[in-house]
Amino acid sequence: FLCFAAETAGAQQMSLEPGQQQTEATRDTAKKKKVFYPVVLGLSDRTGGAISKQLFDSLLRQGVKSQDPAGQVTGFIFNYMERNLYEDSIGNIMVLTDLLTEYCPGDTLTPAVSSTIYLRTKRGDTAYFDNIRMILPEKGEVSGKGMKFVIE
């Protein structure tokens, strides 16, 4: 079915599920936008983009940092897409992507990931840092803006 929003007599109406009543809380929720605070990789100004293997490995060892010096990263999800060459059952060569996902408490990788990741990083791979949680002194627990790096 289709939902339409209309403005009538200066009051904005939201489309609601059948049986749901519009309350002050649902109007406020619709207006709120989630704020993401800036984070960087390591002690740098890198927030994403193309990056060399050597620089990526070096910054990754330093962890995910808040751009605000008073902020502290408390956890994040590390996603690593590794491109590899495979051969199928009849001998055809194909490039496929392997996915590694790990929740990392604190601001650095878990020991399980950091023990092998630096040997695996190579050109063409992609790393995402998502669901970054951090604490800022004046604001409490907040979300950090995700980052995407492509290794070249």
Side-chain angles (χ1 to χ4, degrees):
F1 65 92
L2 296 174
C3 294
F4 295 96
E7 192 168 341
T8 308
Q12 191 173 16
Q13 296 178 343
M14 295 176 11
S15 20
L16 301 172
E17 293 295 321
Q20 182 183 10
Q21 293 182 357
Q22 184 175 6
T23 64
E24 196 65 35
T26 56
R27 267 182 258 138
D28 289 344
T29 303
K31 292 178 185 176
K32 286 184 184 178
K33 290 187 178 180
K34 190 161 179 124
V35 176
F36 294 97
Y37 293 86
V39 294
V40 294
L41 185 59
L43 302 173
S44 73
D45 62 350
R46 295 291 190 123
T47 59
I51 189 169
S52 70
K53 175 193 171 19
Q54 294 76 21
L55 182 57
F56 179 76
D57 289 351
S58 172
L59 295 177
L60 188 58
R61 283 183 175 90
Q62 298 171 26
V64 177
K65 307 293 181 192
S66 169
Q67 251 185 357
D68 181 343
Q72 176 63 43
V73 173
T74 58
F76 61 93
I77 295 178
F78 177 67
N79 296 290
Y80 189 73
M81 279 58 85
E82 181 179 13
R83 295 181 53 137
N84 286 311
L85 194 60
Y86 291 98
E87 184 177 336
D88 70 9
S89 61
I90 58 171
N92 295 323
I93 301 295
M94 59 189 141
V95 176
L96 297 175
T97 303
D98 294 329
L99 174 63
L100 163 75
T101 299
E102 179 87 358
Y103 174 75
C104 301
D107 64 354
T108 56
L109 295 177
T110 61
V113 173
S114 64
S115 66
T116 60
I117 195 69
Y118 306 108
L119 302 172
R120 296 172 64 179
T121 56
K122 63 186 170 304
R123 185 172 195 229
D125 293 351
T126 304
Y128 290 93
F129 299 85
D130 292 313
N131 297 345
I132 302 168
R133 303 299 305 158
M134 58 188 195
I135 296 177
L136 293 176
E138 296 84 31
K139 298 186 179 4
E141 188 174 44
V142 297
S143 294
K145 185 175 182 196
M147 299 184 290
K148 173 187 173 184
F149 293 92
V150 178
I151 300 173
E152 54 180 27

